[in-house]
Amino acid sequence: MGLIRNAVKQGKLAGEHASKNLRPGISAQYDVIVVGAGPAGLAAGLVCALEKKKYMVIEQNKFGGTLYNFPKQKVVMSFPLDLQMVGPYKFKANKVSKEELLSLWNHVRKQANLQVKEECRFINLTKKGDLFEVETSTGILTAQKVILGMGVRGTPRKLGLPNEELPKVTYNLLDPDQYQQKWIAVVGGGNAGVEAAQYLCKASLKNKVFLLVRGPTFDRCNEENQQIIFDYAKKGMVTICYNSSIEAIEKDHVMVMREGKVVRLQNDFLFVFAGAIMPFAFLKS
């Protein structure tokens, strides 16, 4: 729960350092480019705005970064937040939902006229003399300083199967309520996959949910989430399939390898939480 607060602190420090160490006479599009519009990127961008620097925050998805992709009403904080232009901010309740925090952030974004470019994926970074060339999915940007606020979740790892581009395949869960009376498969035995299965198997939604776990146990999931999903499984709300993996994706079904046998499973939606591809090679370079 303290990760967001710490990210805000670190983003603020990075923004202050970059703003104070700019050199005059450098010809670049921006003084500072901030990669990532999550809590760290937001804090860094706000510092640049307050210091009246020429800057741009780029985000591969939507403003809010990883937080935007959390399920609806997920509790994301239990601490007060110290944010530029807001100061120490204590929420009315001790536990803060995704929607409450995003509402505050969007208010601050408008107040500061924060410069954010969404759907702009960071690809690479090259030092050219006194400036950096930032390669993005929408073109090359140049800046004196670059702040990497990309977080630790990386880019979702895909299964690498034919038909994975079908609309029914997704890598995050935003609003569980939009899935009702559906056959749903969730791939992943970590916290993200198990939590998604918990949301989707609620009795009120009347879904048929299968949680596909590659190994014989949950080895990447905390004890609390395990106890919840075990309880749901006992009640018949979800079917946990160990030693299983997706072999093929079709329009109305998936083929699942389970305990050494391939079975056909009716399917309307496939959620994949197979980890992430981290930019380790880039960071080492």
Side-chain angles (χ1 to χ4, degrees):
M1 292 292 185
L3 292 175
I4 291 176
R5 185 176 60 169
N6 289 335
V8 168
K9 288 181 179 179
Q10 293 166 3
K12 179 181 177 183
L13 289 172
E16 290 172 345
H17 178 80
S19 296
K20 292 176 181 177
N21 288 276
L22 296 170
R23 294 172 55 190
I26 303 297
S27 179
Q29 290 172 277
Y30 300 100
D31 296 323
V32 182
I33 288 177
V34 181
V35 180
L42 168 64
L46 287 175
V47 171
C48 294
L50 288 172
E51 295 293 329
K52 301 188 184 307
K53 305 303 180 185
K54 191 174 183 183
Y55 72 96
M56 179 60 68
V57 181
I58 64 173
E59 167 58 45
Q60 66 176 351
N61 294 311
K62 298 291 185 181
F63 177 69
T66 298
L67 181 67
Y68 178 85
N69 291 322
F70 283 165
K72 186 174 68 173
Q73 295 301 316
K74 179 179 174 66
V75 174
V76 295
M77 281 191 68
S78 58
F79 296 96
L81 183 66
D82 191 357
L83 197 60
Q84 293 288 89
M85 302 191 73
V86 176
Y89 188 92
K90 187 173 183 179
F91 292 87
K92 293 180 181 180
N94 290 329
K95 294 184 177 180
V96 184
S97 71
K98 159 193 169 177
E99 286 77 9
E100 289 175 295
L101 192 54
L102 280 178
S103 177
L104 172 64
W105 287 4
N106 277 298
H107 172 74
V108 175
R109 176 186 181 181
K110 292 178 182 178
Q111 186 179 354
N113 191 27
L114 193 67
Q115 301 301 298
V116 181
K117 190 173 185 180
E118 298 176 311
E119 307 290 346
C120 179
R121 183 170 56 87
F122 170 80
I123 297 175
N124 199 12
L125 180 68
T126 307
K127 186 70 182 295
K128 293 290 183 70
D130 294 323
L131 54 79
F132 288 98
E133 285 190 355
V134 181
E135 183 183 357
T136 77
S137 56
T138 62
I140 301 291
L141 304 175
T142 60
Q144 269 203 59
K145 302 289 184 181
V146 179
I147 297 174
L148 301 178
M150 301 182 292
V152 296
R153 291 177 69 101
T155 300
R157 188 184 304 278
K158 297 187 177 183
L159 299 175
L161 295 173
N163 296 327
E164 196 168 352
E165 74 284 354
L166 287 172
K168 75 172 189 176
V169 183
T170 185
Y171 306 90
N172 57 62
L173 175 62
L174 298 180
D175 184 1
D177 292 341
Q178 76 180 81
Y179 305 96
Q180 298 190 31
Q181 301 183 56
K182 303 296 183 182
W183 286 70
I184 298 174
V186 180
V187 175
N191 286 311
V194 172
E195 288 178 4
Q198 291 171 16
Y199 285 111
L200 290 164
C201 78
K202 292 294 177 67
S204 60
L205 302 180
K206 300 179 180 179
N207 293 318
K208 189 72 173 177
V209 179
F210 297 84
L211 178 59
L212 310 183
V213 183
R214 180 173 291 276
T217 60
F218 293 101
D219 59 355
R220 296 182 295 109
C221 178
N222 65 45
E223 187 174 340
E224 180 181 1
N225 275 330
Q226 289 188 49
Q227 290 305 314
I228 293 173
I229 203 68
F230 289 152
D231 182 54
Y232 286 174
K234 287 179 182 178
K235 294 177 180 178
M237 298 165 63
V238 60
T239 300
I240 303 174
C241 305
Y242 297 106
N243 298 310
S244 61
S245 60
I246 299 290
E247 293 293 300
I249 303 170
E250 302 298 341
K251 185 177 180 180
D252 61 355
H253 70 277
V254 290
M255 301 302 294
V256 177
M257 176 69 75
R258 185 180 182 186
E259 302 290 351
K261 296 181 180 180
V262 178
V263 296
R264 185 183 189 276
L265 185 64
Q266 184 176 335
N267 179 254
D268 297 307
F269 290 99
L270 174 62
F271 289 84
V272 180
F273 297 94
I277 300 172
M278 303 302 293
F280 291 139
F282 159 72
L283 292 173
K284 287 180 179 179
S285 72

